[in-house]
Amino acid sequence: MTRRPLVAGNWKMNGLSASIGELERIVAGARMLANVDLMVCPPATLLARFAGAARGSHVAIGAQDCHAQPCGAYTGDIAAEMLKDAGASAVIVGHSERRQLHDESDATVRAKALAARRAGLTAIVCVGETRNERDAGRAHEVVGAQLEGSLPDGGHDFIIAYEPVWAIGTGVTPTPDDVRGMHGFVRARLAARFGQMAEAIRILYGGSVKPSNAKELLTVEQVDGALVGGASLKADEFLAIAGVYR
Ligand code: 13P
């Protein structure tokens, strides 16, 4: 089975209305990239504007988090249905920054992934071990448990992002062999749980992806694209990363 690659940009808490120009450059550049899906995940404040600017292009717009409930007394939170209404087609759930800074458990992440499904959004479910966990030889065990607890049953309509926590924003990346090992492990776990259907699930790599290392990381077997943080804020860098699939 051939999975169409996806390069998604997670803007995190960056971007003001003036950033629309960067998105427009991404949309323009995407016309040259027929073999890869592109996605930009801006902060919620820019979703509707970005969705309008990307309409008709093959750049999808995603959100960075959602609440598990469809509505209610949850001051400051945003429901998956609201993200969909604003023009998102996907939502990142369980990013390590949410797991660490907002104490999100696997059960919370699973509830959010189910909310995404309910609203008609594709969940991008993030998993990844810390440096200590890797050094202790527990990377596969930790990621296996996160997959077990965070993925919903009853479908295979999500995307996985493997993001080793120690590679996020550090400039340090795993070796291609380590990436191959982990993506192969995730693929095997998906196959064990979802059977043949697991073949359709894309597994992205995330953590310090830059134009200079994109080819080495994204051409590894079982890597179906990237979830890019810092380098996705600049259209030129983001497009250069996606250009690996030219
Ligand atoms: P960086 O690309 O800035 O390391 O961030 C990766 C990430 O967390 C994407 O979700």
Side-chain angles (χ1 to χ4, degrees), residues 155-179:
H156 58 282
D157 53 347
F158 43 76
I159 294 167
I160 309 285
Y162 167 58
E163 300 204 306
V165 177
W166 49 274
I168 295 177
T170 58
V172 182
T173 58
T175 65
D177 273 349
D178 286 342
V179 174

Side-chain angles (χ1 to χ4, degrees), residues 5-26:
L6 166 67
V7 175
N10 174 8
W11 279 29
K12 309 190 180 184
M13 198 171 73
N14 297 290
L16 298 170
S17 44
S19 318
I20 192 87
E22 220 59 56
L23 177 76
E24 285 165 354
R25 280 188 279 283
I26 291 171

Side-chain angles (χ1 to χ4, degrees), residues 44 47 63 65-72 74 76-86 88 91 112 115-116 118-119 121:
L47 275 177
D65 178 47
C66 66
H67 195 277
Q69 297 299 322
C71 59
Y74 302 103
D77 279 316
I78 305 180
E81 283 77 359
M82 294 167 178
L83 302 173
K84 172 92 173 172
D85 185 54
V91 58
K112 291 181 176 200
R118 181 188 68 219
L121 298 175

